[in-house]
Amino acid sequence: NSIACSGAKAEHITSDKATSEGRYQQYGQYDYGRYVRFHSSELTTIYNDFSPGRIAQYHFVRKYQPENILISIGGNDMGFADIIAACVLTPTEDCFDTTPERWGLLGMIYEKRSMLVDTYSMIKALSPGSNIYVLGYPKVVAATKGLCSVDVQLSPNERQFSRDLID
């Protein structure tokens, strides 16, 4: 079963407040800034249907104690889509081509390390018998230009940097 949420951040796994504010939808209306309390029948439906985004994902881990947990977090917390968009939208110059820019990006990524460790630790504490598998980002950029070069104009330096960043 899956409780994956596109666009989710680590707080949507670990925090009831983050999940209920702006993500709960009732009768087509979003309840922004309001802590949502569910009736027991609503919670039963959420649990039985594995409804993502309604309650923090840790509740499912605690309730079901799954044998295996597959998790991929961090990209949305780091603004990965914005980083990629900035690189793709500036085709005339290399993205993060100076040492300070690259160190800044690496520093920003490293700052999220403790948040990731805390998230994994919380999951393990809630379900100590579970195997936790963390997915990294795939290498979506070839080392050399391929057939996509018409659509995505990344320089050789950008391609190598993106591959090194994922390693």
Side-chain angles (χ1 to χ4, degrees):
N1 294 306
S2 174
I3 53 167
C5 290
S6 178
K9 295 182 177 182
E11 66 186 3
H12 298 115
I13 296 170
T14 61
S15 172
D16 291 314
K17 186 172 179 355
T19 304
S20 62
E21 288 186 4
R23 292 182 60 84
Y24 176 67
Q25 187 175 6
Q26 181 178 26
Y27 310 115
Q29 300 291 320
Y30 286 100
D31 291 332
Y32 286 98
R34 176 171 90 88
Y35 191 81
V36 178
R37 303 241 183 245
F38 293 98
H39 292 94
S40 61
S41 63
E42 290 176 295
L43 277 175
T44 299
T45 300
I46 290 168
Y47 281 126
N48 290 342
D49 293 346
F50 289 87
S51 301
R54 303 290 300 278
I55 59 175
Q57 294 172 349
Y58 79 86
H59 291 288
F60 292 94
V61 172
R62 184 175 55 205
K63 179 174 177 60
Y64 289 108
Q65 303 281 306
E67 181 180 345
N68 296 305
I69 298 171
L70 184 65
I71 186 170
S72 177
I73 61 168
N76 292 322
D77 295 283
M78 294 176 212
F80 186 70
D82 292 335
I83 293 167
I84 296 301
C87 290
V88 172
L89 296 175
T90 56
T92 58
E93 58 187 69
D94 282 354
C95 185
F96 298 101
D97 64 337
T98 67
T99 300
E101 288 175 324
R102 289 184 178 194
W103 278 110
L105 180 60
L106 291 172
M108 185 271 303
I109 292 170
Y110 188 77
E111 286 174 1
K112 301 297 181 186
R113 182 182 183 281
S114 63
M115 175 266 308
L116 294 171
V117 170
D118 290 348
T119 301
Y120 305 143
S121 298
M122 177 186 192
I123 292 169
K124 190 63 175 175
L126 290 170
S127 189
S130 296
N131 299 308
I132 300 173
Y133 299 96
V134 178
L135 296 178
Y137 277 91
K139 291 183 180 179
V140 296
V141 178
T144 59
K145 277 192 175 184
L147 298 175
C148 296
S149 63
V150 173
D151 298 322
V152 181
Q153 297 290 327
L154 297 177
S155 74
N157 287 338
E158 289 172 322
R159 285 193 300 276
Q160 186 60 50
F161 179 62
S162 71
R163 293 175 61 77
D164 291 345
L165 195 58
I166 291 171
D167 283 343

